[in-house]
Amino acid sequence: MVKVYGNWPSANLGRAASRQARNNQHERSLEGDYVVTKHPSGYDLLRNPRLNKGTAFTETERRAWGLEGLLPPAVTTLELQVARRHAEIANLDSDLQKYLVLSDLQARNETLYYSVLMSDPATYMPLVYTPTVGEACQKFGHIFREPRGMYLPISARGRLKELLSNWPERDVRFIVVTDGERILGLGDLGVGGMGIPIGKLSLYTACAGVPPQYCLPIVLDVGTNNQALLDDPLYQGLRQQRVRGEDYMAFVEEFVAAVQQLYPTCCIQWEDFANLNAVPILARYSDKICTFNDDIQGTAGVALAGIFAALRLTGGKLAEQRFLFLGAGSAATGIAELISLSMAGEGMDLAAARRRNALFDINGLVVTSRSDLAAFQTPFAQDRAPVATFVEAVKELRPTAIIGVSTVPKLFTHEVIQAMATINQRPIIFPYSNPTSRSECTAEEAYRWSEGRAVFASGSPFPPVEIAGRRFVPGQGNNVYIFPAMGMAVFATQATRVTEDMFIVAAQAVAEQVTEQDLAMGLIYPPQSHILDASLHVAERIATCIFDKGLARVPRPDDVGALVRGRVYRPLYPA
Ligand code: NAI
């Protein structure tokens, strides 16, 4: 068997070597180079998305690899191919069509797909992920073209390792997995939720350079309670109600064990599970394996980043702040806990820190006398009399910041914002509920009702606002500032765990990239157009934390930044 190491086998091989090479197969080595072991035919090359260059195969390569006649004669460059895709996509009418063109491209030519995404992330992120991916998940069975990732049905219990062994890559480092129960704000979409792990992993690569060959999207199919899907002949999952309780947890346990056995350095990221499973799964595995939940921990990280940047405008230390959350679900308690841990890191007692994070939900202020509280809410319960309205809670608790994670629009009323502006010179106002239609207030309302004094960021994007001749640019607390960088740091260091400390460090690293110029416009997150640079900075800081805590499985290098940058995937054809 011929083994040729290097980027690609030379296209100038002699005839005999070339014939020999044609019988070889390409594989990608750990270093990202191509290792030629057994070569497919030219026709096969065009159908292998990792090796395909399409019309960019040179004349020499076409001759050497049996591609002549299989392509139109004109040879194009990668740049020209990217320009062709830009023009094609820009001319399409709907975002779903754009999503499908990009999906087809990913299935055909991976290098070109990531080249397109990375050339303009601010334009393409919303097309391969939220909001467009939501519609794609809803219509999954109707737009299905070809499979990507792995589908693990609960009917295969006892055989998950066998099923996972069918995945062609032997070295998987990152799995994003969902059970499809709480897809974005769209509810139970069953196996249609697969669009989320696929889209999210594209962002790990496009926004932080995690090499795609190490990434695996997975859906755990335990059924669906969505009757419309069960009645749809094109639905592709198991036709049964969701499995709950012990059987469900045993299935998850078998999945985790199988991943550990087959891919011992793999990180599992849980995505879009319903609260009733998300919280216990994270609690069960966070101390045992390398794992995290982006809905809980990534959200908390990005909110904390916004707060760190906001404090540069308002002045004062984190431990001096008082937070009041509208909502007491997983987002609120996740953010409140990370803020509390960060306050504790500044020397405060953890219980006292949690008391500085008050929650207000559908039944009023979360106070110790309430009997309807879940275990994850009680650490934040205030020892005071019940308060029935949010504006009353603002007036009594005098928070420096309010954070909306209620899923209910318009609850940050004129009266609420005015009260915040009376209490604080620079009130911090974060309506984080998604999508835009659920936002607790708009950017314009926050700026107008506070006479331009609000420090504002939202979950969904808002356009710039002009008030009395001043221009404000609202920031978006998008998890994309955190999770791809977390993935890159874990990948580069082969971390054994993902800890809360790592999210605090990530938040600081995001906030420190906000420039004075950004702050002057009210912008408290770095611009998304330079997301790769921003992520690599964050990844370096997280990786340093991983080494400091002794959680890395690779030796500590002198230059951690160089380690991270050296592992970055670049979407270029091998020469
Ligand atoms: P959840 O359903 O777990 O929690 C919602 C909470 O809001 C519950 O505590 C509920 O009692 C409370 N609530 C509902 N109606 C209310 C009312 N009228 N008055 C007061 N409280 C009320 O939801 P989860 O997962 O915590 O998400 C909440 C929101 O946060 C969603 O809109 C989600 O899109 C958003 N979010 C934003 C992120 C970001 O921007 N980076 C990331 C994660 C979530």
Side-chain angles (χ1 to χ4, degrees):
M1 180 166 64
V2 176
K3 272 206 170 186
V4 183
Y5 292 89
N7 268 344
W8 263 66
S10 162
N12 297 323
L13 300 171
R15 267 209 186 156
S18 163
R19 252 197 321 273
Q20 165 78 67
R22 263 181 227 168
N23 295 326
N24 293 340
Q25 285 279 2
H26 286 76
E27 281 169 14
R28 227 169 185 182
S29 75
L30 266 183
E31 290 72 39
D33 293 341
Y34 287 100
V35 176
V36 183
T37 49
K38 196 167 158 275
H39 190 273
S41 69
Y43 191 80
D44 292 337
L45 268 184
L46 292 174
R47 272 148 194 81
N48 183 329
R50 199 146 290 157
L51 302 177
N52 189 15
K53 296 184 179 186
T55 55
F57 278 115
T58 63
E59 283 179 11
T60 328
E61 286 166 345
R62 293 175 188 211
R63 256 197 311 282
W65 302 109
L67 283 156
E68 286 174 299
L70 297 179
L71 288 161
V75 174
T76 41
T77 60
L78 179 58
E79 292 69 35
L80 210 52
Q81 287 180 310
V82 170
R84 176 158 52 206
R85 297 282 79 98
H86 280 321
E88 180 199 5
I89 292 165
N91 278 327
L92 293 171
D93 291 331
S94 86
D95 284 350
L96 188 63
Q97 280 179 315
K98 295 178 186 189
Y99 173 92
L100 290 172
V101 164
L102 286 162
S103 292
D104 289 344
L105 181 58
Q106 186 178 19
R108 205 167 60 242
N109 182 335
E110 192 171 83
T111 310
L112 181 53
Y113 171 73
Y114 283 111
S115 241
V116 169
L117 256 54
M118 292 165 93
S119 66
D120 187 0
T123 297
Y124 290 104
M125 266 195 291
L127 294 175
V128 297
Y129 199 61
T130 174
T132 314
V133 73
E135 190 183 354
C137 289
Q138 286 174 309
K139 297 179 176 163
F140 198 74
H142 292 251
I143 58 174
F144 187 83
R145 286 155 153 74
E146 61 182 330
R148 170 169 290 277
M150 294 213 79
Y151 295 80
L152 302 179
I154 198 159
S155 53
R157 241 183 95 179
R159 296 197 302 120
L160 288 192
K161 190 174 166 200
E162 186 188 326
L163 266 66
L164 272 171
S165 306
N166 290 335
W167 186 247
E169 302 288 345
R170 291 290 142 247
D171 188 8
V172 174
R173 301 289 188 81
F174 230 91
I175 285 174
V176 175
V177 61
T178 187
D179 72 355
E181 185 161 8
R182 201 234 64 196
I183 296 301
L184 306 171
L186 305 168
D188 183 350
L189 298 183
V191 293
M194 179 53 127
I196 297 294
I198 291 173
K200 201 132 197 178
L201 282 168
S202 285
L203 299 193
Y204 275 95
T205 300
C207 301
V210 179
Q213 64 268 33
Y214 298 114
C215 299
L216 171 55
I218 292 184
V219 68
L220 298 177
D221 184 0
V222 298
T224 177
N225 295 349
N226 183 333
Q227 196 55 44
L229 290 179
L230 291 171
D231 293 341
D232 181 350
L234 287 178
Y235 179 62
Q236 292 166 306
L238 295 176
R239 274 169 210 279
Q240 62 179 55
Q241 294 291 306
R242 281 186 177 273
V243 173
R244 300 271 187 221
E246 278 177 26
D247 283 348
Y248 176 92
M249 283 316 268
F251 180 57
V252 171
E253 179 73 30
E254 184 189 339
F255 163 69
V256 170
V259 170
Q260 291 290 293
Q261 284 168 32
L262 290 170
Y263 314 119
T265 52
C266 184
C267 177
I268 300 177
Q269 193 227 287
W270 311 94
E271 182 73 23
D272 284 1
F273 285 71
N275 254 345
L276 87 160
N277 290 319
V279 174
I281 288 175
L282 186 63
R284 186 161 172 163
Y285 295 110
S286 60
D287 288 342
K288 294 195 181 76
I289 61 168
C290 183
T291 193
F292 70 99
N293 180 313
D294 186 57
D295 305 310
I296 300 173
Q297 296 165 290
T299 299
V302 83
L304 185 61
I307 290 158
F308 283 139
L311 291 181
R312 287 169 55 193
L313 282 170
T314 63
K317 289 188 174 153
L318 182 67
E320 294 161 2
Q321 309 303 310
R322 289 179 304 279
F323 296 92
L324 175 60
F325 291 80
L326 183 68
S330 55
T333 51
I335 300 169
E337 181 63 6
L338 197 67
I339 292 176
S340 305
L341 290 169
S342 195
M343 285 175 163
E346 290 184 6
M348 196 176 217
D349 169 64
L350 183 57
R354 285 176 175 145
R355 282 196 296 278
R356 285 189 162 256
N357 286 270
L359 312 177
F360 187 100
D361 73 359
I362 187 103
N363 296 320
L365 189 66
V366 171
V367 291
T368 46
S369 57
R370 271 175 57 173
S371 56
D372 62 334
L373 300 183
F376 63 90
Q377 296 167 320
T378 49
F380 306 101
Q382 306 288 307
D383 195 9
R384 55 163 60 229
V387 180
T389 68
F390 190 65
V391 70
E392 227 183 295
V394 169
K395 288 177 183 167
E396 281 201 23
L397 295 168
R398 301 178 64 80
T400 50
I402 51 173
I403 300 178
V405 271
S406 65
T407 71
V408 185
K410 300 286 164 208
L411 293 182
F412 287 174
T413 59
H414 192 166
E415 208 187 346
V416 166
I417 307 267
Q418 251 180 355
M420 283 296 289
T422 307
I423 297 163
N424 302 285
Q425 177 52 31
R426 301 293 312 264
I428 298 175
I429 314 275
F430 286 180
Y432 265 20
S433 284
N434 289 320
T436 315
S437 59
R438 301 280 174 92
S439 191
E440 283 81 2
C441 68
T442 64
E444 170 145 20
E445 286 165 346
Y447 289 125
R448 196 171 294 289
W449 293 337
S450 65
E451 294 134 4
R453 287 186 284 124
V455 179
F456 178 91
S458 50
S460 299
F462 281 104
V465 175
E466 285 236 2
I467 292 175
R470 274 188 69 195
R471 187 166 191 267
F472 299 91
V473 181
Q476 187 197 357
N478 190 325
N479 296 24
V480 82
Y481 290 112
I482 302 282
F483 70 81
M486 188 63 66
M488 188 64 205
V490 165
F491 168 69
T493 60
Q494 299 190 21
T496 55
R497 295 283 181 280
V498 179
T499 64
E500 299 294 340
D501 286 350
M502 288 154 66
F503 285 98
I504 295 173
V505 165
Q508 286 162 340
V510 172
E512 70 198 17
Q513 294 184 77
V514 179
T515 63
E516 293 302 319
Q517 216 178 355
D518 295 331
L519 287 176
M521 295 185 292
L523 188 57
I524 56 167
Y525 290 100
Q528 287 181 16
S529 46
H530 297 108
I531 189 75
L532 179 62
D533 291 338
S535 295
L536 292 181
H537 174 81
V538 179
E540 177 182 342
R541 294 284 309 277
I542 303 170
T544 305
C545 171
I546 292 170
F547 283 115
D548 289 347
K549 302 272 168 190
L551 297 174
R553 276 181 276 209
V554 300
R556 184 177 192 135
D558 293 336
D559 184 346
V560 175
L563 170 79
V564 170
R565 286 189 300 279
R567 305 299 270 150
V568 169
Y569 167 82
R570 306 274 175 198
L572 298 169
Y573 294 131

